[in-house]
Amino acid sequence: MAAPPDALRQLLCDLVAIDSVNPSLVAGAAGELAIARRLTDEMRSLGLEVHVSEAAPGRPNVVGVLNGRAPGRALMLCGHTDTVGVAGMSRPFEPDVRNGRVYGRGAQDMKGGVAAMLGAARNLVDAGGLEAGRLIVAAVVDEEHSSLGAEALVRTWQADAAVVTEPTGLDVAVAHKGFQWVAVETRGPQEAGCRGRPLRRWIGPSTPAKRIRFSVPRRCTHRSSTAGRN
């Protein structure tokens, strides 16, 4: 029996209503503690074995485990509980349901995926549980900045396979490109990269092309009043 759509929608709305902006991105932001408590309660209501551990002070990962009746392989469902900031949003934590969709900060990235993980666990519980193996449902912190939660998770938990429920338009992605923070210092006139003008105009034809390459977006919504000035 599938989890009722209304119950999943309500869980998603509950999660969106919780401010979990990443404090590493926005100074003084709420962080993931409150949403971790809500997820802990949800997992316990399903009868999962719940483990809460801090990846950083006040920033807990929550892991729920559904054990099968016999040993077997383990599948992990993993999602993050933090969001980016809310600048420019008038009511970011008031979930708005329109035409079967939920709008609000984090509804897509990725509280919808986290709610779906709990919905999958509920389906298994309602169907009588697992014959063998175990399901691990992991809600981790800090994905939007340094992935402290994921790093802490893999030090303790192992699985035979994992599904990260990030939004992909329902396309299955089988690899991850990773990420890297890079600081680049340049000299010369200031220019908005989204204008699409060739960087070579500023650095000159004698600059070795192999030194660095920039990818310039075709569109940009940011406008700078000082763009192009010294």
Side-chain angles (χ1 to χ4, degrees):
M1 177 179 177
D6 289 346
L8 276 180
R9 186 180 301 115
Q10 185 57 56
L11 174 58
L12 174 54
C13 287
D14 290 350
L15 299 181
V16 170
I18 298 172
D19 179 354
S20 60
V21 172
N22 189 314
S24 295
L25 290 177
V26 180
E32 304 93 345
L33 183 58
I35 195 170
R37 289 171 175 163
R38 176 65 180 87
L39 291 173
T40 297
D41 291 342
E42 186 71 18
M43 291 180 184
R44 286 178 175 157
S45 75
L46 297 178
L48 304 187
E49 175 187 303
V50 181
H51 304 260
V52 181
S53 59
E54 289 192 335
R59 306 183 69 182
N61 286 347
V62 183
V63 178
V65 181
L66 177 63
N67 288 303
R69 288 178 283 275
R73 294 182 294 179
L75 172 67
M76 176 182 287
L77 303 179
C78 185
H80 64 87
T81 53
D82 61 316
T83 72
V84 296
V86 296
M89 300 181 70
S90 58
R91 296 185 300 276
F93 307 118
E94 296 181 16
D96 181 14
V97 181
R98 284 178 279 143
N99 299 319
R101 297 185 177 187
V102 178
Y103 296 85
R105 171 52 77 223
Q108 181 181 32
D109 186 12
M110 62 170 293
K111 294 178 179 181
V114 172
M117 298 191 313
L118 272 296
R122 179 181 293 277
N123 289 347
L124 289 173
V125 170
D126 290 347
L130 291 171
E131 287 295 331
R134 65 177 180 166
L135 175 70
I136 303 169
V137 180
V140 300
V141 304
D142 193 48
E143 188 271 351
E144 299 289 0
H145 188 265
S146 300
S147 295
L148 295 177
E151 288 186 1
L153 179 75
V154 298
R155 286 195 293 267
T156 305
W157 295 90
Q158 294 182 339
D160 296 284
V163 178
V164 178
T165 57
E166 284 275 7
T168 61
L170 299 182
D171 290 332
V172 177
V174 298
H176 192 289
K177 65 182 180 180
F179 72 93
Q180 184 176 35
W181 291 103
V182 179
V184 179
E185 181 177 337
T186 64
R187 298 177 182 176
Q190 181 178 333
E191 178 61 280
C194 58
R195 292 189 176 188
R197 299 178 183 176
L199 186 64
R200 188 170 295 278
R201 170 184 171 184
W202 301 115
I203 63 178
S206 61
T207 303
K210 65 181 180 180
R211 185 172 298 172
I212 190 168
R213 289 186 177 183
F214 290 88
S215 177
V216 179
R218 292 182 179 272
R219 294 186 300 164
C220 180
T221 57
H222 174 73
R223 301 180 69 88
S224 172
S225 61
T226 59
R229 299 178 184 174
N230 291 337

